[in-house]
């Protein structure tokens, strides 16, 4: 039996996941916690947030995130994509900046409007 603290919502339920009983989850207050417990042990994933260089804007960096969770085993490869990426202003929230990162099906998207600088 594995014990986890659920990170899906602010409640922070203390989950107990029984790997020997088809990953049965107890201690959750909602179905999302149950799903999190099973997924965390079978195929853990995370939504990533970061920044990327931007040219032609008033700021030098644009905040970004993946539009869906990526497998934890791929986090370093997915983050490495940003190292060589520079985008051009203007950018709108939700704009896809890099699609299908490392074959994960996730995209890096902008999380802030960035207008052209003056």
């Amino acid at each position: 039996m594995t014990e986890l603290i659920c990170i899906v919502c602010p409640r922070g339920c203390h989950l107990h996941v029984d790997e020997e009983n088809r990953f049965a989850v107890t201690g959750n207050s909602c179905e999302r916690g149950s799903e999190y417990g099973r997924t965390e042990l079978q195929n853990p994933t995370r939504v990533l947030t970061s920044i990327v260089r931007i040219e032609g804007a008033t700021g030098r960096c644009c905040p970004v995130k993946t539009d869906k969770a990526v497998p934890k085993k791929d986090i370093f490869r997915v983050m490495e994509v940003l190292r060589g990426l520079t985008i051009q202003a203007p950018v709108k929230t939700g704009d896809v900046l890099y699609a299908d990162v490392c074959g994960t099906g996730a995209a890096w998207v902008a999380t802030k409007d960035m207008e052209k600088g003056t």
Side-chain angles (χ1 to χ4, degrees):
M1 176 119 15
T2 301
E3 294 183 21
L4 302 169
I5 295 178
C6 184
I7 62 171
V8 176
C9 76
R11 272 195 173 136
C13 296
H14 291 260
L15 307 178
H16 301 278
V17 185
D18 187 355
E19 302 93 335
E20 296 176 6
N21 189 16
R22 297 186 302 154
F23 296 92
V25 178
T26 57
N28 54 303
S29 297
C30 66
E31 187 55 36
R32 293 184 309 166
S34 180
E35 178 63 28
Y36 170 77
R38 282 190 296 276
T39 302
E40 188 64 13
L41 291 185
Q42 294 174 321
N43 183 28
T45 60
R46 296 291 185 270
V47 171
L48 304 178
T49 60
S50 189
I51 55 174
V52 66
R53 285 182 215 103
I54 187 167
E55 292 179 345
T58 53
R60 296 183 348 191
C61 297
C62 177
V64 296
K65 73 176 194 97
T66 54
D67 63 350
K68 66 181 202 175
V70 298
K72 279 181 74 175
K73 67 180 180 60
D74 295 328
I75 286 175
F76 290 108
R77 290 186 319 120
V78 170
M79 291 297 292
E80 186 65 28
V81 167
L82 295 180
R83 183 184 302 252
L85 186 62
T86 301
I87 60 174
Q88 299 294 318
V91 175
K92 298 290 181 196
T93 300
D95 283 356
V96 173
L97 307 176
Y98 195 102
D100 193 21
V101 183
C102 301
T104 63
W108 280 111
V109 297
T111 60
K112 180 180 179 184
D113 291 347
M114 300 291 287
E115 301 300 329
K116 281 190 171 255
T118 55

